[in-house]
Each structure stands twice: as structure tokens, then as C-alpha cells.
């Protein structure tokens, strides 16, 4: 390789080439797409670039020669296909020179060295890979020799017919009114072919079905499109073809009843040999027009409805059909507000249309409000059927409805309580046979005529019918008895009542007529048992025991007694008050002052809390027994008693007291040691274990007073007087 060729292999010149082009050195594969060598290679390229810039500047300033070379190659050829020789662009005298070339691309994004191999010494150009004209259709670069000759090289990529025309989508659906006039055009999308020139889309053909219908009037459609011509290059996605607009033209009027749809094939073809084609399937649905009115299945509808039918009940169903399709064939029903005159069509103040309604889509006629055959036995309606066309067609039909008479009145139950204030209650002291309430029954369907009693039920005649009244609940405590006039009964006490066992009775009165089917009415009575003061109070204990210190301050709570009353809570029958009765005498009035012999305890009348009311003294009274009386406020009042025992606990609050203030004693001179010569006693009011009650002291002659000296007694005291307690 020549030195020039080695320089070409060092790298690529980025800026400074003649006419603003980049210098490229095809001997290396580092392209402008981000590949670079080592740091040393970059240093060498920098030096080389400096030399190239100086050379190009000198060449441009001298008498440099500029030559043009145009080459072409077909797209899709295999790699290493020969494209041409750069030397062919030089004069014959310079073609024999052996110097290499410097190359410069025409633009920054030119993939010249990715798509071609350019020999730096010979100038031979070969393809580096398969070319795609639709991706890039030409390349441009400049080759310069060391002698100053410059060759502008243009490489054109020739198009081959490697693409077929293609529609934006494979199938298309069109809705066409059957009243569309001939000559109506329906715009279709054109087919795109990336190839250029003759190989692009050249025309369209309407492909007829293999077995077209035998129609003497001819075809319904034809194609109409623009004049063929070259497509723009490069062909951008979404660009329009010069053959557009492509229209499908209607030749004659359609008839949906004859054919509801038409399926067509549109074929696009290019100018290749053989031509490439693409197809578009077109489905044309013929839209129906509103040219048929609704038709009812009957000329008149007759129906019957019971007068006890509930609102919403179905009376009948009307049905109309429309041959049209879509909204034109959808039938909606309504009741005409203004009715035609006729027998029984008055409908009272409301009119027949106020009693009935028809469902809009189903045609079901339903009852809107209750009927009364006695007021009107016939109703007549006019029902409209309207299709959904822009100018709807309307049909009407008459509907006659007979009202059937039924037993539509239930018996009525009337209860009048005979208690004070008319309350639903009965005293627990009521005796069997006492009246509780007056019960009467009635039925709007007839009049009372007779009284009958059968199968344990009381019944009254009602024309040719009867009403039976029965009582459920109460477990035999209550019963119904006839009251004399037809349809009148008395609710009486049948058995003993006890509010404490059961304070509420749920009674059910059932009145049933003899219609077909029979109707019945139920009336629930919640009967409360009123309380009597028949339950005395009851203490939780019969004997309460407690203790309190004698040092307790007045007002100290000692204990709490409680009694309950089974009578109705919250009433005077269960409201208790407590009183206190002292059983034992508090003290001896002769030994103590009268003020200290009064009551020591009191009880709260509401809560039953027993507390002290003065200072206690166990030495005066060791225990107290009380009786508590609990009494309710009923009439007459009832009471109960219980026993309360309170022990007074002792505290050390008294000093011992000797029985005598002075004691005299005599002792013999020769009394032995331990001889008792005096006995003293005292009494203590302290009952604690640390005290002595009835204390006694025995004084003995101590040993130290009895000493012998030479057989004689010393300390010969014989009498001790006025011994006192130290």
C-alpha cells in the first residue's frame, strides 16, 4: 500500500474539506456512527488531519481540476457487487497515476462506508451489503488525488419491482342507502407502492365475482380514479398516489329487498413484468329506508281483567311488525291520549287512557291504577304503533277491555277497648267473664243478614256469604263471645291473669269472608296486663350482721340493706321506703344521762343505707339489734321486715381503776420469802387482749428485805401502812 493509502486508513476528516465536505478515509471501518480507536490512533489522526487541511487549502488555492462521475447499481444485489471505478472520472492521462484518493461524504448522515467498500488505492467501489432503494436511493461523495484532481461521485440506486401495491387495510365496509341515486361516488383509500416509476401503482380493476347474478340491467358499480404518473421520490409514508382519488361509483339504484349486501374486490397493479398486485375487499351493506308502515296482527284486540288486579298486572299484548330494518323496523307502542267515542269509553273523570299503559317495546298492556267494576265495566283504548324512521309511519288498533267482578273487598275489623281511657290493657285482677274490648266486623261487599256459629268460629251472614271471626293467641286466657247484634263480639277474660308471670299478650283477630276466593283480614292486638299491688317487698337477707368501731364518727356508713318488689317497675307498687325500729334498749337510763341513751343509728329511706348518728360507746352498749321495715307505696301498701345485728368493736379508750385508794397490810417478822401478805385488785374497761379485766395484784415480801446477820433478823419491820400503787 502506498503512503497515501496508509494515510487514508488512519481515520476520517470531520471538517475543513473543500466545499464544506467531511474527509473520509475508507481504509478504516470507524464510521461517523460513534466508533473510535485508541488514544494513540486519535493522536495520529489529529496530525494527519492537520496535513490534509493544509493540502486541501493549497489545492483549492491552486488550479485544481473538478470532474464528475455518475454510477448506478440495482437494489437488492448481493454484497461485493462491483459498482464502478473512481478513476473512470479522471482524464485518461491521470488514470494511470498510482496515487490514492481522499474521500469526503456529501452529508453528515451518509452511510457511504457502511453500504460500500471503496479501495483507497485503486478507487474500485463495491457494495458492502444489499441495498434498498426505498431506504436510500442515492449516495454522493468527493474523491481527491494528491495531484489536486477532484472527482464528484454520484451513485444512483436503481429501482426494481420488489414491492406490491398495498392498501392501508385488507377489507372495508361501506353502508349505502338503497335510495342513493346513480352516480353517487364512494371514496376508497388508494394503494401505495414503495417502488418508483413504472414499478409503482399504475391502475385499479374492479374484480367481478366468478358467478355474477344474472341481472339484465348490468352491474351496480364501476371504478373511477386519476391519471397514472410517477410517484414522488422518495415515497413518504402516508403520501397520496397520483392515481387518487379512487372512487366507487354507483351505476343504478339499489334495492335492499332484492340484495342486502354486495361484496367487491378492488385490485391495484403496478407496471412490472409480470405486474405485482394488491387487493382490497369491499363489503357494501344496503341500508333500508322507511318505506313500510307497521302492521298489527289483529284488527281489534279484546281482553278481560279482574277488578282486583294490582297496578302493573298484564292485561294483554298487542303486536305489530314492520318489514323495514334497523330503526325503520323498530316498532314502539303508546296509548293515544284522546280516545275515540264509544260505548263504555267514558272512563269517568280520568278517561280510559289513565287506567292503562302499554310498554313501549314489548306491546304489553298493563294496568296503571286499580279498577272498580261497579263504576265502569268496560274500557276501550286506541294503541298506536310507530316505527323509528326519520318520518315515522304510524298504525293504530282498538283494544277493548272487560272488567271482571270479584270479591275484592276484605272484611274490616273494628276494636273498641272498654278499659279506662280506652287503652289496650287489662287489670291482672280481672275475673273470668270481664269485658276487655268490643269487636265488630263488616264487609263492603254486602249487608249483614244472619248470625251463625260453626266449628268454633263466630260468623255472620253477608247476603249469601258469611264472615267468620276467630281469635288466636292468649293460651285460653281470653275468648270471643257474641255481642247480640250481627257482627258484634266481645273480647272477655277467660282465665286468671298474673302480670308477674306474663305482662303482655299478643292476640290475633282473623276475619274471613265466604267469597271465592275468600278474603281475610288480620288485626293484631297487643294487650298489656296492668299491675296490682299484690306483691310484697322481699329482702335479699332475713338477718344482716355488721360491726362498727366505737370510735366511728357520726355519719359513718355501717351497712346497706336491699329489698325488691316484683310489681311493675317504675310504679308506686314497686317504689320502696325503708324505716328503722330499734329492738334492744340502748343503755340503762339510770346509770347514764338520757341524752346518751338515744338511738345510735339511722337509715336512708330511699337507699337503705344504715349509718351512725352519734358517737358510740362499747362500755355502754356492746351490740345493737334493729328491725328494718321496707314498705311500698301501693294501695293498700305492702311491707316486709328484716333483722339487723350490729356489734360495737372496742378500742383502748379507758384506764384501769383500783377498787380502793388505800390498802393496809401487816406482815410477820419471820414471814418466809414468797409469803403473800396483801392482795389488791382493779377493774379495766379496755376489752382488748392487751388489757386485764378484773386485774388483781398480789404483793409478796421481797428477798432483799429478809437478810440474816449473826442469826438475827434485820429490817424487822412488822407493819407496812399506806401502801399505794406506784
Amino acid at each position: 500500500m502506498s503512503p497515501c493509502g496508509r494515510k487514508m486508513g488512519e481515520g476520517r476528516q470531520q471538517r475543513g474539506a473543500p466545499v464544506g465536505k467531511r474527509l473520509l478515509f475508507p481504509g478504516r471501518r470507524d464510521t461517523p456512527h460513534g466508533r473510535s480507536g485508541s488514544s494513540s490512533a486519535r493522536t495520529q489522526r489529529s496530525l494527519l488531519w492537520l496535513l490534509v487541511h493544509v493540502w486541501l487549502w493549497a489545492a483549492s488555492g491552486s488550479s485544481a481540476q473538478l470532474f464528475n462521475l455518475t454510477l448506478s447499481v440495482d437494489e437488492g444485489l448481493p454484497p461485493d457487487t462491483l459498482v464502478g471505478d473512481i478513476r473512470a472520472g479522471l482524464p485518461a492521462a491521470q488514470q494511470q497515476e498510482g496515487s490514492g484518493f481522499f474521500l469526503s461524504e456529501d452529508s453528515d448522515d451518509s452511510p457511504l462506508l457502511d453500504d460500500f467498500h471503496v479501495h483507497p488505492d485503486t478507487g474500485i467501489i463495491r457494495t458492502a451489503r444489499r441495498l434498498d432503494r426505498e431506504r436510500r436511493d442515492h449516495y454522493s461523495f468527493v474523491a481527491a488525488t494528491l495531484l489536486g484532481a477532484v472527482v464528484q461521485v454520484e451513485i444512483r440506486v436503481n429501482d426494481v419491482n420488489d414491492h406490491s401495491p398495498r392498501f392501508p387495510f385488507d377489507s372495508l365496509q361501506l353502508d349505502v342507502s338503497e335510495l342513493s341515486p346513480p352516480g353517487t361516488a364512494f371514496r376508497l383509500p388508494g394503494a401505495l407502492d414503495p417502488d418508483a416509476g413504472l414499478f409503482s401503482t399504475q391502475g385499479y380493476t374492479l374484480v367481478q365475482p366468478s358467478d355474477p347474478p344474472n341481472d339484465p340491467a348490468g352491474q351496480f358499480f364501476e371504478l373511477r380514479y386519476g391519471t397514472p404518473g410517477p410517484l414522488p421520490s422518495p415515497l413518504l409514508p402516508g403520501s397520496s398516489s397520483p392515481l387518487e382519488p379512487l372512487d366507487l361509483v354507483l351505476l343504478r339504484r339499489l334495492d335492499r329487498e332484492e340484495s342486502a349486501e354486495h361484496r367487491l374486490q378492488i385490485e391495484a397493479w403496478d407496471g412490472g413484468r409480470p405486474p405485482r398486485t394488491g387487493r382490497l375487499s369491499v363489503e357494501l351493506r344496503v341500508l333500508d329506508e322507511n318505506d313500510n308502515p307497521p302492521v298489527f296482527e289483529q284488527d281489534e284486540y279484546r281482553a278481560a281483567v279482574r277488578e282486583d288486579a294490582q297496578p302493573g298486572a298484564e292485561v294483554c299484548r298487542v303486536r305489530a311488525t314492520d318489514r323495514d330494518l334497523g330503526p325503520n323496523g323498530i316498532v314502539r307502542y303508546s296509548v293515544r291520549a284522546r280516545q275515540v267515542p264509544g260505548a263504555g269509553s267514558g272512563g269517568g273523570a280520568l278517561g280510559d287512557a289513565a287506567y292503562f299503559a302499554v310498554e313501549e317495546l314489548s306491546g304489553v298492556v298493563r294496568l296503571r291504577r286499580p279498577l272498580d267494576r261497579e263504576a265502569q265495566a268496560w274500557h276501550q283504548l286506541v294503541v298506536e304503533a310507530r316505527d323509528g324512521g326519520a318520518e315515522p309511519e304510524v298504525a293504530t288498533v282498538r283494544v277493548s277491555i272487560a272488567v271482571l267482578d270479584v270479591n275484592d273487598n276484605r272484611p274490616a275489623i273494628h276494636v273498641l277497648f272498654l278499659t279506662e281511657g280506652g287503652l289496650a290493657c287489662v287489670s291482672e285482677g280481672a275475673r273470668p267473664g270481664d269485658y276487655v274490648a268490643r269487636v265488630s266486623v263488616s264487609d263492603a261487599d254486602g249487608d249483614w243478614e244472619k248470625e251463625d256459629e260453626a266449628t268454633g268460629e263466630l260468623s255472620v251472614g253477608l247476603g249469601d256469604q258469611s264472615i267468620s271471626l276467630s281469635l288466636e293467641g292468649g293460651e285460653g286466657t281470653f275468648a270471643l263471645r257474641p255481642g247480640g247484634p250481627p257482627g258484634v263480639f266481645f273480647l272477655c277474660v277467660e282465665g286468671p291473669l298474673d302480670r308477674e308471670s306474663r305482662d303482655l299478650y299478643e292476640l290475633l283477630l282473623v276475619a274471613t269472608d265466604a267469597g271465592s276466593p275468600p278474603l281475610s283480614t288480620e288485626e293484631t292486638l297487643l294487650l298489656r296486663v296492668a299491675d296490682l299491688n299484690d306483691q310484697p317487698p322481699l329482702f335479699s337477707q332475713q338477718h344482716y350482721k355488721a360491726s362498727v368501731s366505737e370510735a366511728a364518727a357520726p355519719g359513718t356508713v355501717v351497712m346497706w340493706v336491699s329489698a325488691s318488689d316484683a310489681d311493675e317497675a317504675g310504679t308506686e307498687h314497686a317504689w320502696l321506703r325503708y324505716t328503722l325500729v330499734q329492738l334492744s334498749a340502748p343503755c340503762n337510763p339510770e346509770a347514764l344521762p338520757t341524752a346518751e341513751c338515744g338511738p345510735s343509728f339511722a337509715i336512708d329511706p330511699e337507699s337503705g343505707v344504715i349509718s351512725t348518728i352519734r358517737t358510740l360507746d362499747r362500755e355502754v352498749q356492746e351490740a345493737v339489734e334493729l328491725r328494718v321495715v321496707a314498705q311500698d307505696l301501693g294501695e293498700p301498701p305492702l311491707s316486709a321486715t328484716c333483722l339487723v345485728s350490729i356489734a360495737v368493736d372496742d378500742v383502748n379508750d379507758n384506764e384501769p381503776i383500783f377498787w380502793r385508794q388505800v390498802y393496809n397490810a401487816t406482815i410477820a417478822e419471820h414471814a418466809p420469802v414468797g409469803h403473800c401478805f396483801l392482795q389488791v385488785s382493779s377493774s379495766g374497761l379496755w376489752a382488748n387482749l392487751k388489757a386485764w379485766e378484773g386485774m388483781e395484784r398480789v404483793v409478796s415480801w421481797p428477798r432483799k428485805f429478809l437478810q440474816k446477820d449473826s442469826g438475827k433478823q434485820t429490817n424487822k419491820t412488822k407493819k407496812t401502812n399506806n401502801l399505794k400503787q406506784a
Side-chain angles (χ1 to χ4, degrees), residues 12 118 137 211 300 315 321 347 387 422 508 615 700 724:
R12 293 185 178 180
V118 181
D137 60 351
D211 49 349
E300 181 180 1
V315 178
T321 57
D387 61 26
L508 182 65
T615 304
S700 300
K724 295 182 180 181

Side-chain angles (χ1 to χ4, degrees), residues 367-436:
L367 187 64
R368 292 181 59 187
R369 62 180 70 243
L371 299 173
D372 187 0
R373 184 184 181 278
E374 288 69 29
Q376 185 175 352
W378 283 87
H379 294 270
Q380 288 188 345
L381 309 173
V382 175
V383 177
E384 294 182 348
R386 184 185 302 265
D387 61 26
E391 297 180 0
E393 298 284 344
V394 180
T396 60
V397 70
R398 175 176 294 184
V399 180
S400 299
I401 302 173
V403 182
L404 303 179
D405 190 21
V406 295
N407 182 27
D408 58 344
N409 291 288
R410 297 178 180 275
I413 301 175
H414 311 277
V415 180
L416 176 64
F417 288 99
L418 303 177
T419 57
E420 183 178 356
L423 302 177
C425 64
V426 57
S427 174
E428 65 175 328
R431 295 169 297 179
D434 289 351
Y435 291 155
V436 178

